[in-house]
Amino acid sequence: MSEDKFDAIIVGGGLAGISAALVMAKAGLEVMLIERGDYCGAKNMTGGRLYGHSLEKIIPNFAQEAPVERIVTKEKISIMSEDSSFDFTYNSKKLAGNKAEASYTVLRTEFDKWMAEKAEEAGANVITGILVEDLLKDENGKIIGVMATGEEIYSDVVILADGVNSLLSQQIGLKEELKADQVAVGAKEVIHIDEEVLNQRFGLMDNEGLSWLSVGDPTMGGFGGGLLYVNRDSVSIGVVSTLSDIDHAQMPIYEFLDRFKNHPSIAPYIEGGTTVEYSAHLVPEAGIHMLPKLYADGVLVTGDAAGFCINLGFTVRGMDFAIESGRLAAETVIRAKEREDFSQETLSYYKELLDDSFIMRDLEEFKGFPTLLSRREIFEVMPDLVTDIANNTFTVDGKPGKSMMMYAINAIAQRTSASNLVNFVTTVMEAF
């Protein structure tokens, strides 16, 4: 490693860290990015969908050269009981939209590696296979570098992009230890299936992709859900369960995933496939309610380390937040470099940029969703309720029929009290 002092050191080679490194390197700063994995993307995990609008600001037309898998043109949401599924599907080329509106399925092992190469081309020093153990401070408590595998490396500022369980942020008091209701644990497989077979099974053409989220039976009534994304010649399939509720069904997360793969609404789509990747990871869940202090003298916190993630049930976003927050952290450091001032006061500009960005606007807009998605009715009562109503509605057996409204009233009466229903409706209204 170089003994020179860097303008900035970034800890973590995910999308937030790489974006920050790329923007600062383009501006001529001396940047070092330190990644613990063997390469950027080696240990990074996500469901597999990237909303492209934030990366377009850094690399215009990125999808023309980046290793994206498919462009999402089909959205599917499923409410699953043990043996049934009520599905909502939207299929439209409008989802591809223009570049700022399109989203893509991606595999992080390839995509993050490509991003890191772009940062290196811009002049960033990307060092992999190195663990940052601690942050260096001066006599006034300002962060002045990192301790990496026993070696001191100095910089004007350090950007922490070291993931949801950011121990370095905790060490310097910017972040509290994670609470079980703030995060979820996810397990995911990538299953290889021939491209032509995927297109036939999912009703797709060319490079069209699918995002499929489901709730209910994937976690057996626990807080969480299932996911499936169609890649070029594979599917990414996984289950996510809120950590505080993971013992609701007395089943480990890997068994949830196996069970989900065998659900009658899922199994035919992945039949004959070969698992080529398996991963598990913690995911930030609490939105604006879990944000740490984002800056101090000589340090900024970004990406998952800052808790920048939203799960609305019908969309799950984290990568676009990571990229944008990395870019804004970089812009803050560039400004600080111009002033040769890396104090907390100067770095507070980062919070100003965030407040004016879609990140904080969206986190504030949807701040009620963590409460809504901790309602047992959504995960345990609603799936059986909805599929029972559907089954009764679509069954014709020659017996006296009822209106859909009566089926619904009877099903609700059997499964929940009037007071619980009122409380649930109130929670939904407050979330929106």
Side-chain angles (χ1 to χ4, degrees), residues 183-216:
V183 292
V185 59
K188 187 190 78 173
E189 290 185 24
V190 177
I191 300 175
H192 170 74
I193 301 172
D194 288 343
E195 182 175 358
E196 185 177 345
V197 174
L198 284 176
N199 288 343
Q200 291 174 349
R201 289 182 179 179
F202 289 97
L204 302 170
M205 298 181 64
D206 301 326
N207 67 335
E208 294 175 348
L210 165 72
S211 167
W212 185 358
L213 304 179
S214 55
V215 67

PDB file of all heavy atoms in Angstrom, residues 183-216:
ATOM      1  N   VAL A 183     -33.817  -4.553  11.075  1.00  0.00           N
ATOM      2  CA  VAL A 183     -33.183  -5.250   9.960  1.00  0.00           C
ATOM      3  C   VAL A 183     -33.903  -6.564   9.670  1.00  0.00           C
ATOM      4  O   VAL A 183     -34.608  -7.112  10.520  1.00  0.00           O
ATOM      5  CB  VAL A 183     -31.691  -5.538  10.231  1.00  0.00           C
ATOM      6  CG1 VAL A 183     -30.892  -4.253  10.270  1.00  0.00           C
ATOM      7  CG2 VAL A 183     -31.523  -6.316  11.531  1.00  0.00           C
ATOM      8  N   ALA A 184     -33.696  -7.043   8.460  1.00  0.00           N
ATOM      9  CA  ALA A 184     -34.201  -8.355   8.063  1.00  0.00           C
ATOM     10  C   ALA A 184     -33.024  -9.199   7.609  1.00  0.00           C
ATOM     11  O   ALA A 184     -31.979  -8.670   7.219  1.00  0.00           O
ATOM     12  CB  ALA A 184     -35.221  -8.219   6.930  1.00  0.00           C
ATOM     13  N   VAL A 185     -33.194 -10.507   7.687  1.00  0.00           N
ATOM     14  CA  VAL A 185     -32.188 -11.411   7.164  1.00  0.00           C
ATOM     15  C   VAL A 185     -32.739 -12.020   5.880  1.00  0.00           C
ATOM     16  O   VAL A 185     -33.891 -12.441   5.815  1.00  0.00           O
ATOM     17  CB  VAL A 185     -31.807 -12.500   8.186  1.00  0.00           C
ATOM     18  CG1 VAL A 185     -33.009 -13.341   8.604  1.00  0.00           C
ATOM     19  CG2 VAL A 185     -30.702 -13.389   7.648  1.00  0.00           C
ATOM     20  N   GLY A 186     -31.922 -12.008   4.847  1.00  0.00           N
ATOM     21  CA  GLY A 186     -32.339 -12.540   3.558  1.00  0.00           C
ATOM     22  C   GLY A 186     -31.458 -13.681   3.107  1.00  0.00           C
ATOM     23  O   GLY A 186     -30.249 -13.683   3.369  1.00  0.00           O
ATOM     24  N   ALA A 187     -32.060 -14.666   2.472  1.00  0.00           N
ATOM     25  CA  ALA A 187     -31.319 -15.768   1.858  1.00  0.00           C
ATOM     26  C   ALA A 187     -31.745 -15.850   0.400  1.00  0.00           C
ATOM     27  O   ALA A 187     -32.932 -15.733   0.082  1.00  0.00           O
ATOM     28  CB  ALA A 187     -31.601 -17.090   2.566  1.00  0.00           C
ATOM     29  N   LYS A 188     -30.766 -16.048  -0.493  1.00  0.00           N
ATOM     30  CA  LYS A 188     -31.066 -15.996  -1.925  1.00  0.00           C
ATOM     31  C   LYS A 188     -30.245 -17.024  -2.680  1.00  0.00           C
ATOM     32  O   LYS A 188     -29.087 -17.273  -2.343  1.00  0.00           O
ATOM     33  CB  LYS A 188     -30.748 -14.594  -2.473  1.00  0.00           C
ATOM     34  CG  LYS A 188     -31.185 -14.372  -3.914  1.00  0.00           C
ATOM     35  CD  LYS A 188     -30.641 -13.072  -4.463  1.00  0.00           C
ATOM     36  CE  LYS A 188     -29.183 -13.186  -4.850  1.00  0.00           C
ATOM     37  NZ  LYS A 188     -28.673 -11.994  -5.546  1.00  0.00           N
ATOM     38  N   GLU A 189     -30.855 -17.594  -3.697  1.00  0.00           N
ATOM     39  CA  GLU A 189     -30.151 -18.455  -4.644  1.00  0.00           C
ATOM     40  C   GLU A 189     -30.241 -17.847  -6.033  1.00  0.00           C
ATOM     41  O   GLU A 189     -31.230 -17.196  -6.376  1.00  0.00           O
ATOM     42  CB  GLU A 189     -30.768 -19.864  -4.686  1.00  0.00           C
ATOM     43  CG  GLU A 189     -30.529 -20.691  -3.452  1.00  0.00           C
ATOM     44  CD  GLU A 189     -31.059 -22.108  -3.598  1.00  0.00           C
ATOM     45  OE1 GLU A 189     -31.176 -22.577  -4.750  1.00  0.00           O
ATOM     46  OE2 GLU A 189     -31.364 -22.732  -2.563  1.00  0.00           O
ATOM     47  N   VAL A 190     -29.210 -18.062  -6.811  1.00  0.00           N
ATOM     48  CA  VAL A 190     -29.255 -17.789  -8.243  1.00  0.00           C
ATOM     49  C   VAL A 190     -29.306 -19.143  -8.938  1.00  0.00           C
ATOM     50  O   VAL A 190     -28.417 -19.980  -8.739  1.00  0.00           O
ATOM     51  CB  VAL A 190     -28.034 -16.977  -8.711  1.00  0.00           C
ATOM     52  CG1 VAL A 190     -28.078 -16.774 -10.228  1.00  0.00           C
ATOM     53  CG2 VAL A 190     -27.985 -15.624  -7.996  1.00  0.00           C
ATOM     54  N   ILE A 191     -30.362 -19.355  -9.706  1.00  0.00           N
ATOM     55  CA  ILE A 191     -30.603 -20.651 -10.346  1.00  0.00           C
ATOM     56  C   ILE A 191     -30.489 -20.501 -11.853  1.00  0.00           C
ATOM     57  O   ILE A 191     -31.220 -19.715 -12.468  1.00  0.00           O
ATOM     58  CB  ILE A 191     -31.996 -21.192  -9.971  1.00  0.00           C
ATOM     59  CG1 ILE A 191     -32.104 -21.368  -8.444  1.00  0.00           C
ATOM     60  CG2 ILE A 191     -32.283 -22.510 -10.679  1.00  0.00           C
ATOM     61  CD1 ILE A 191     -33.478 -21.780  -7.971  1.00  0.00           C
ATOM     62  N   HIS A 192     -29.567 -21.237 -12.437  1.00  0.00           N
ATOM     63  CA  HIS A 192     -29.361 -21.173 -13.877  1.00  0.00           C
ATOM     64  C   HIS A 192     -30.470 -21.919 -14.620  1.00  0.00           C
ATOM     65  O   HIS A 192     -30.793 -23.066 -14.305  1.00  0.00           O
ATOM     66  CB  HIS A 192     -28.019 -21.774 -14.273  1.00  0.00           C
ATOM     67  CG  HIS A 192     -27.857 -21.945 -15.763  1.00  0.00           C
ATOM     68  ND1 HIS A 192     -27.623 -20.883 -16.602  1.00  0.00           N
ATOM     69  CD2 HIS A 192     -27.929 -23.049 -16.555  1.00  0.00           C
ATOM     70  CE1 HIS A 192     -27.544 -21.319 -17.849  1.00  0.00           C
ATOM     71  NE2 HIS A 192     -27.732 -22.638 -17.847  1.00  0.00           N
ATOM     72  N   ILE A 193     -31.057 -21.245 -15.613  1.00  0.00           N
ATOM     73  CA  ILE A 193     -32.065 -21.822 -16.505  1.00  0.00           C
ATOM     74  C   ILE A 193     -31.815 -21.215 -17.883  1.00  0.00           C
ATOM     75  O   ILE A 193     -31.550 -20.012 -18.003  1.00  0.00           O
ATOM     76  CB  ILE A 193     -33.499 -21.491 -16.041  1.00  0.00           C
ATOM     77  CG1 ILE A 193     -33.745 -22.023 -14.616  1.00  0.00           C
ATOM     78  CG2 ILE A 193     -34.534 -22.074 -17.000  1.00  0.00           C
ATOM     79  CD1 ILE A 193     -35.067 -21.565 -14.008  1.00  0.00           C
ATOM     80  N   ASP A 194     -31.886 -22.014 -18.925  1.00  0.00           N
ATOM     81  CA  ASP A 194     -31.610 -21.521 -20.273  1.00  0.00           C
ATOM     82  C   ASP A 194     -32.489 -20.311 -20.603  1.00  0.00           C
ATOM     83  O   ASP A 194     -33.673 -20.261 -20.245  1.00  0.00           O
ATOM     84  CB  ASP A 194     -31.841 -22.614 -21.307  1.00  0.00           C
ATOM     85  CG  ASP A 194     -30.760 -23.690 -21.258  1.00  0.00           C
ATOM     86  OD1 ASP A 194     -29.691 -23.420 -20.670  1.00  0.00           O
ATOM     87  OD2 ASP A 194     -30.993 -24.794 -21.784  1.00  0.00           O
ATOM     88  N   GLU A 195     -31.911 -19.365 -21.301  1.00  0.00           N
ATOM     89  CA  GLU A 195     -32.601 -18.125 -21.625  1.00  0.00           C
ATOM     90  C   GLU A 195     -33.917 -18.375 -22.360  1.00  0.00           C
ATOM     91  O   GLU A 195     -34.946 -17.761 -22.053  1.00  0.00           O
ATOM     92  CB  GLU A 195     -31.679 -17.238 -22.475  1.00  0.00           C
ATOM     93  CG  GLU A 195     -32.267 -15.887 -22.829  1.00  0.00           C
ATOM     94  CD  GLU A 195     -31.276 -15.015 -23.571  1.00  0.00           C
ATOM     95  OE1 GLU A 195     -30.119 -15.445 -23.772  1.00  0.00           O
ATOM     96  OE2 GLU A 195     -31.663 -13.897 -23.960  1.00  0.00           O
ATOM     97  N   GLU A 196     -33.911 -19.256 -23.338  1.00  0.00           N
ATOM     98  CA  GLU A 196     -35.129 -19.535 -24.103  1.00  0.00           C
ATOM     99  C   GLU A 196     -36.220 -20.113 -23.213  1.00  0.00           C
ATOM    100  O   GLU A 196     -37.403 -19.776 -23.348  1.00  0.00           O
ATOM    101  CB  GLU A 196     -34.818 -20.502 -25.253  1.00  0.00           C
ATOM    102  CG  GLU A 196     -36.007 -20.760 -26.166  1.00  0.00           C
ATOM    103  CD  GLU A 196     -35.643 -21.657 -27.338  1.00  0.00           C
ATOM    104  OE1 GLU A 196     -34.442 -21.842 -27.613  1.00  0.00           O
ATOM    105  OE2 GLU A 196     -36.584 -22.171 -27.993  1.00  0.00           O
ATOM    106  N   VAL A 197     -35.833 -20.985 -22.297  1.00  0.00           N
ATOM    107  CA  VAL A 197     -36.804 -21.580 -21.366  1.00  0.00           C
ATOM    108  C   VAL A 197     -37.387 -20.496 -20.460  1.00  0.00           C
ATOM    109  O   VAL A 197     -38.603 -20.466 -20.204  1.00  0.00           O
ATOM    110  CB  VAL A 197     -36.134 -22.687 -20.527  1.00  0.00           C
ATOM    111  CG1 VAL A 197     -37.090 -23.205 -19.459  1.00  0.00           C
ATOM    112  CG2 VAL A 197     -35.674 -23.821 -21.436  1.00  0.00           C
ATOM    113  N   LEU A 198     -36.542 -19.599 -19.965  1.00  0.00           N
ATOM    114  CA  LEU A 198     -37.029 -18.507 -19.129  1.00  0.00           C
ATOM    115  C   LEU A 198     -38.052 -17.652 -19.868  1.00  0.00           C
ATOM    116  O   LEU A 198     -39.104 -17.297 -19.319  1.00  0.00           O
ATOM    117  CB  LEU A 198     -35.864 -17.628 -18.674  1.00  0.00           C
ATOM    118  CG  LEU A 198     -34.974 -18.166 -17.563  1.00  0.00           C
ATOM    119  CD1 LEU A 198     -33.817 -17.211 -17.307  1.00  0.00           C
ATOM    120  CD2 LEU A 198     -35.765 -18.381 -16.283  1.00  0.00           C
ATOM    121  N   ASN A 199     -37.743 -17.317 -21.113  1.00  0.00           N
ATOM    122  CA  ASN A 199     -38.658 -16.488 -21.892  1.00  0.00           C
ATOM    123  C   ASN A 199     -40.017 -17.159 -22.063  1.00  0.00           C
ATOM    124  O   ASN A 199     -41.067 -16.525 -21.957  1.00  0.00           O
ATOM    125  CB  ASN A 199     -38.051 -16.173 -23.257  1.00  0.00           C
ATOM    126  CG  ASN A 199     -36.898 -15.187 -23.166  1.00  0.00           C
ATOM    127  OD1 ASN A 199     -36.740 -14.497 -22.159  1.00  0.00           O
ATOM    128  ND2 ASN A 199     -36.080 -15.126 -24.204  1.00  0.00           N
ATOM    129  N   GLN A 200     -40.006 -18.462 -22.306  1.00  0.00           N
ATOM    130  CA  GLN A 200     -41.256 -19.195 -22.488  1.00  0.00           C
ATOM    131  C   GLN A 200     -42.039 -19.283 -21.183  1.00  0.00           C
ATOM    132  O   GLN A 200     -43.255 -19.058 -21.163  1.00  0.00           O
ATOM    133  CB  GLN A 200     -40.954 -20.600 -23.023  1.00  0.00           C
ATOM    134  CG  GLN A 200     -40.419 -20.620 -24.450  1.00  0.00           C
ATOM    135  CD  GLN A 200     -39.993 -22.011 -24.888  1.00  0.00           C
ATOM    136  OE1 GLN A 200     -39.901 -22.938 -24.080  1.00  0.00           O
ATOM    137  NE2 GLN A 200     -39.734 -22.168 -26.183  1.00  0.00           N
ATOM    138  N   ARG A 201     -41.363 -19.588 -20.103  1.00  0.00           N
ATOM    139  CA  ARG A 201     -42.063 -19.788 -18.828  1.00  0.00           C
ATOM    140  C   ARG A 201     -42.651 -18.498 -18.273  1.00  0.00           C
ATOM    141  O   ARG A 201     -43.745 -18.500 -17.692  1.00  0.00           O
ATOM    142  CB  ARG A 201     -41.107 -20.401 -17.802  1.00  0.00           C
ATOM    143  CG  ARG A 201     -40.754 -21.850 -18.083  1.00  0.00           C
ATOM    144  CD  ARG A 201     -39.833 -22.409 -17.010  1.00  0.00           C
ATOM    145  NE  ARG A 201     -39.512 -23.813 -17.284  1.00  0.00           N
ATOM    146  CZ  ARG A 201     -38.709 -24.562 -16.540  1.00  0.00           C
ATOM    147  NH1 ARG A 201     -38.130 -24.034 -15.465  1.00  0.00           N
ATOM    148  NH2 ARG A 201     -38.483 -25.826 -16.853  1.00  0.00           N
ATOM    149  N   PHE A 202     -41.923 -17.411 -18.427  1.00  0.00           N
ATOM    150  CA  PHE A 202     -42.371 -16.155 -17.830  1.00  0.00           C
ATOM    151  C   PHE A 202     -43.050 -15.221 -18.832  1.00  0.00           C
ATOM    152  O   PHE A 202     -43.455 -14.116 -18.467  1.00  0.00           O
ATOM    153  CB  PHE A 202     -41.181 -15.436 -17.191  1.00  0.00           C
ATOM    154  CG  PHE A 202     -40.678 -16.109 -15.946  1.00  0.00           C
ATOM    155  CD1 PHE A 202     -39.592 -16.978 -16.005  1.00  0.00           C
ATOM    156  CD2 PHE A 202     -41.279 -15.888 -14.722  1.00  0.00           C
ATOM    157  CE1 PHE A 202     -39.117 -17.599 -14.859  1.00  0.00           C
ATOM    158  CE2 PHE A 202     -40.810 -16.500 -13.569  1.00  0.00           C
ATOM    159  CZ  PHE A 202     -39.729 -17.374 -13.640  1.00  0.00           C
ATOM    160  N   GLY A 203     -43.197 -15.651 -20.079  1.00  0.00           N
ATOM    161  CA  GLY A 203     -43.849 -14.822 -21.081  1.00  0.00           C
ATOM    162  C   GLY A 203     -43.078 -13.574 -21.418  1.00  0.00           C
ATOM    163  O   GLY A 203     -43.653 -12.486 -21.540  1.00  0.00           O
ATOM    164  N   LEU A 204     -41.760 -13.716 -21.586  1.00  0.00           N
ATOM    165  CA  LEU A 204     -40.883 -12.584 -21.864  1.00  0.00           C
ATOM    166  C   LEU A 204     -40.275 -12.720 -23.247  1.00  0.00           C
ATOM    167  O   LEU A 204     -40.220 -13.807 -23.822  1.00  0.00           O
ATOM    168  CB  LEU A 204     -39.765 -12.508 -20.815  1.00  0.00           C
ATOM    169  CG  LEU A 204     -40.210 -12.387 -19.359  1.00  0.00           C
ATOM    170  CD1 LEU A 204     -39.025 -12.563 -18.420  1.00  0.00           C
ATOM    171  CD2 LEU A 204     -40.890 -11.043 -19.107  1.00  0.00           C
ATOM    172  N   MET A 205     -39.790 -11.608 -23.769  1.00  0.00           N
ATOM    173  CA  MET A 205     -39.124 -11.596 -25.066  1.00  0.00           C
ATOM    174  C   MET A 205     -37.801 -10.866 -24.956  1.00  0.00           C
ATOM    175  O   MET A 205     -37.630  -9.953 -24.138  1.00  0.00           O
ATOM    176  CB  MET A 205     -40.008 -10.915 -26.121  1.00  0.00           C
ATOM    177  CG  MET A 205     -41.333 -11.616 -26.382  1.00  0.00           C
ATOM    178  SD  MET A 205     -42.328 -10.792 -27.643  1.00  0.00           S
ATOM    179  CE  MET A 205     -41.257 -11.003 -29.080  1.00  0.00           C
ATOM    180  N   ASP A 206     -36.847 -11.280 -25.781  1.00  0.00           N
ATOM    181  CA  ASP A 206     -35.554 -10.604 -25.891  1.00  0.00           C
ATOM    182  C   ASP A 206     -34.942 -10.361 -24.507  1.00  0.00           C
ATOM    183  O   ASP A 206     -34.694 -11.289 -23.771  1.00  0.00           O
ATOM    184  CB  ASP A 206     -35.715  -9.301 -26.665  1.00  0.00           C
ATOM    185  CG  ASP A 206     -36.261  -9.547 -28.071  1.00  0.00           C
ATOM    186  OD1 ASP A 206     -35.913 -10.589 -28.650  1.00  0.00           O
ATOM    187  OD2 ASP A 206     -37.045  -8.712 -28.558  1.00  0.00           O
ATOM    188  N   ASN A 207     -34.720  -9.081 -24.159  1.00  0.00           N
ATOM    189  CA  ASN A 207     -34.070  -8.766 -22.888  1.00  0.00           C
ATOM    190  C   ASN A 207     -35.071  -8.283 -21.837  1.00  0.00           C
ATOM    191  O   ASN A 207     -34.706  -7.621 -20.875  1.00  0.00           O
ATOM    192  CB  ASN A 207     -32.997  -7.690 -23.092  1.00  0.00           C
ATOM    193  CG  ASN A 207     -33.579  -6.345 -23.478  1.00  0.00           C
ATOM    194  OD1 ASN A 207     -34.679  -6.276 -24.045  1.00  0.00           O
ATOM    195  ND2 ASN A 207     -32.856  -5.272 -23.203  1.00  0.00           N
ATOM    196  N   GLU A 208     -36.349  -8.624 -22.009  1.00  0.00           N
ATOM    197  CA  GLU A 208     -37.355  -8.224 -21.036  1.00  0.00           C
ATOM    198  C   GLU A 208     -37.183  -8.994 -19.728  1.00  0.00           C
ATOM    199  O   GLU A 208     -36.897 -10.191 -19.724  1.00  0.00           O
ATOM    200  CB  GLU A 208     -38.761  -8.481 -21.586  1.00  0.00           C
ATOM    201  CG  GLU A 208     -39.114  -7.620 -22.784  1.00  0.00           C
ATOM    202  CD  GLU A 208     -40.465  -7.991 -23.362  1.00  0.00           C
ATOM    203  OE1 GLU A 208     -41.021  -9.054 -22.992  1.00  0.00           O
ATOM    204  OE2 GLU A 208     -40.983  -7.211 -24.192  1.00  0.00           O
ATOM    205  N   GLY A 209     -37.388  -8.299 -18.598  1.00  0.00           N
ATOM    206  CA  GLY A 209     -37.213  -8.919 -17.297  1.00  0.00           C
ATOM    207  C   GLY A 209     -38.459  -8.814 -16.437  1.00  0.00           C
ATOM    208  O   GLY A 209     -39.397  -8.072 -16.748  1.00  0.00           O
ATOM    209  N   LEU A 210     -38.454  -9.565 -15.333  1.00  0.00           N
ATOM    210  CA  LEU A 210     -39.592  -9.635 -14.415  1.00  0.00           C
ATOM    211  C   LEU A 210     -39.133  -9.391 -12.985  1.00  0.00           C
ATOM    212  O   LEU A 210     -38.108  -9.920 -12.550  1.00  0.00           O
ATOM    213  CB  LEU A 210     -40.247 -11.019 -14.506  1.00  0.00           C
ATOM    214  CG  LEU A 210     -41.219 -11.410 -13.385  1.00  0.00           C
ATOM    215  CD1 LEU A 210     -42.518 -10.638 -13.508  1.00  0.00           C
ATOM    216  CD2 LEU A 210     -41.492 -12.913 -13.403  1.00  0.00           C
ATOM    217  N   SER A 211     -39.919  -8.619 -12.245  1.00  0.00           N
ATOM    218  CA  SER A 211     -39.784  -8.474 -10.799  1.00  0.00           C
ATOM    219  C   SER A 211     -41.027  -9.068 -10.160  1.00  0.00           C
ATOM    220  O   SER A 211     -42.150  -8.667 -10.489  1.00  0.00           O
ATOM    221  CB  SER A 211     -39.651  -6.993 -10.414  1.00  0.00           C
ATOM    222  OG  SER A 211     -39.824  -6.812  -9.026  1.00  0.00           O
ATOM    223  N   TRP A 212     -40.847 -10.028  -9.238  1.00  0.00           N
ATOM    224  CA  TRP A 212     -41.972 -10.733  -8.632  1.00  0.00           C
ATOM    225  C   TRP A 212     -41.765 -10.761  -7.122  1.00  0.00           C
ATOM    226  O   TRP A 212     -40.835 -11.379  -6.619  1.00  0.00           O
ATOM    227  CB  TRP A 212     -42.044 -12.152  -9.199  1.00  0.00           C
ATOM    228  CG  TRP A 212     -43.223 -12.980  -8.765  1.00  0.00           C
ATOM    229  CD1 TRP A 212     -44.213 -12.624  -7.899  1.00  0.00           C
ATOM    230  CD2 TRP A 212     -43.515 -14.318  -9.191  1.00  0.00           C
ATOM    231  NE1 TRP A 212     -45.113 -13.635  -7.757  1.00  0.00           N
ATOM    232  CE2 TRP A 212     -44.715 -14.695  -8.533  1.00  0.00           C
ATOM    233  CE3 TRP A 212     -42.884 -15.222 -10.041  1.00  0.00           C
ATOM    234  CZ2 TRP A 212     -45.289 -15.959  -8.716  1.00  0.00           C
ATOM    235  CZ3 TRP A 212     -43.455 -16.472 -10.227  1.00  0.00           C
ATOM    236  CH2 TRP A 212     -44.639 -16.832  -9.585  1.00  0.00           C
ATOM    237  N   LEU A 213     -42.618 -10.058  -6.398  1.00  0.00           N
ATOM    238  CA  LEU A 213     -42.579 -10.014  -4.942  1.00  0.00           C
ATOM    239  C   LEU A 213     -43.822 -10.691  -4.386  1.00  0.00           C
ATOM    240  O   LEU A 213     -44.902 -10.589  -4.969  1.00  0.00           O
ATOM    241  CB  LEU A 213     -42.493  -8.566  -4.446  1.00  0.00           C
ATOM    242  CG  LEU A 213     -41.322  -7.736  -4.971  1.00  0.00           C
ATOM    243  CD1 LEU A 213     -41.388  -6.312  -4.409  1.00  0.00           C
ATOM    244  CD2 LEU A 213     -39.994  -8.384  -4.628  1.00  0.00           C
ATOM    245  N   SER A 214     -43.682 -11.360  -3.265  1.00  0.00           N
ATOM    246  CA  SER A 214     -44.813 -12.090  -2.702  1.00  0.00           C
ATOM    247  C   SER A 214     -44.810 -11.991  -1.184  1.00  0.00           C
ATOM    248  O   SER A 214     -43.771 -11.781  -0.551  1.00  0.00           O
ATOM    249  CB  SER A 214     -44.777 -13.554  -3.138  1.00  0.00           C
ATOM    250  OG  SER A 214     -43.546 -14.140  -2.798  1.00  0.00           O
ATOM    251  N   VAL A 215     -45.997 -12.158  -0.606  1.00  0.00           N
ATOM    252  CA  VAL A 215     -46.165 -12.016   0.835  1.00  0.00           C
ATOM    253  C   VAL A 215     -47.062 -13.135   1.347  1.00  0.00           C
ATOM    254  O   VAL A 215     -47.888 -13.670   0.603  1.00  0.00           O
ATOM    255  CB  VAL A 215     -46.780 -10.626   1.159  1.00  0.00           C
ATOM    256  CG1 VAL A 215     -48.221 -10.524   0.649  1.00  0.00           C
ATOM    257  CG2 VAL A 215     -46.737 -10.334   2.645  1.00  0.00           C
ATOM    258  N   GLY A 216     -46.901 -13.479   2.606  1.00  0.00           N
ATOM    259  CA  GLY A 216     -47.755 -14.478   3.230  1.00  0.00           C
ATOM    260  C   GLY A 216     -47.017 -15.771   3.480  1.00  0.00           C
ATOM    261  O   GLY A 216     -46.176 -15.881   4.386  1.00  0.00           O
TER     262      GLY A 216
END
